[in-house]
Amino acid sequence: MTHLLGHWGDAVIAAGLIVSVCGAYLSWTIMAAEVPFIAARQGAFPRSLARQNRHNSPAASLWLTNGSVQVCLIAIALTGADYNTLLTIASEMILVPYLLVGLYLMKVVRGQQKPLAMSIGLGATLYGLWLLYASGPLHLLLSVVLYAPGLLLFLYARRGGRGDKPLLQLERMAIVLLMAASLPALWQLTQ
């Protein structure tokens, strides 16, 4: 652009970059705030996170998600970790949901005559299992630290019988295992 427009080319590139980064930041902020907001509306998170301000923006959810990001950044700074550690943990966090999406697709199409959908679900499940195996147990254990606060919010929201259905025994055991795994993971982060 500098060769085409002269010094104005640098300004055009810089302005385009600023608009692009601001747009990406805005969309990621909105998307991150929508998840707790919708979960609160459906009863999986505390009702207070469903509160909106006068502009119909999920204010409480925005405060929670932005505060969580700040706590994570401070924790990374205090532990002496670098950006690559944060990136690795964030990448690891998507692996479990990826596996669960594959498993859910298999559950939905089970009993139906949809072999293509079933094979896609099976392929996604096997790939998700392989990704978890390939990433190693240490990084998966570190991601449990970020699941623990969400589980605490979920349990807090369900207090007093607010949930539609009681938790199954298997679900209770999974919650206990995840919370127990978060302790050695937290210890590992501080080393």
Side-chain angles (χ1 to χ4, degrees), residues 157-176:
R158 293 184 61 91
R159 75 190 187 296
R162 183 168 176 229
D164 294 340
K165 297 186 288 186
L167 292 174
L168 300 174
Q169 185 67 24
L170 182 64
E171 293 168 333
R172 287 187 199 144
M173 288 186 337
I175 288 173
V176 168

Side-chain angles (χ1 to χ4, degrees), residues 28-40:
W28 279 104
T29 301
I30 291 170
M31 188 173 72
E34 282 293 312
V35 172
F37 174 70
I38 291 170

Side-chain angles (χ1 to χ4, degrees), residues 35-37 39-49 64 150-151 153-154 157 162:
V35 172
F37 174 70
R41 291 181 70 186
Q42 294 179 353
F45 271 16
R47 289 184 194 124
S48 60
L49 294 177
L64 174 73
L151 277 173
L153 273 176
F154 174 74
R162 183 168 176 229

Side-chain angles (χ1 to χ4, degrees), residues 16 21 47 54-55 58 66 85 112 130 136 139 155 157 161 175 181:
V21 168
R47 289 184 194 124
R54 66 175 192 242
H55 303 291
N66 287 309
T85 303
Q112 301 177 10
W130 181 84
H139 291 120
L155 292 173
I175 288 173

Side-chain angles (χ1 to χ4, degrees), residues 67-83:
S68 299
V69 168
Q70 296 305 312
V71 167
C72 288
L73 290 174
I74 291 169
I76 290 294
L78 291 177
T79 59
D82 58 3
Y83 181 75

Side-chain angles (χ1 to χ4, degrees), residues 1 8-24:
M1 288 298 280
W8 285 100
D10 288 337
V12 169
I13 294 296
L17 185 61
I18 289 169
V19 168
S20 175
V21 168
C22 287

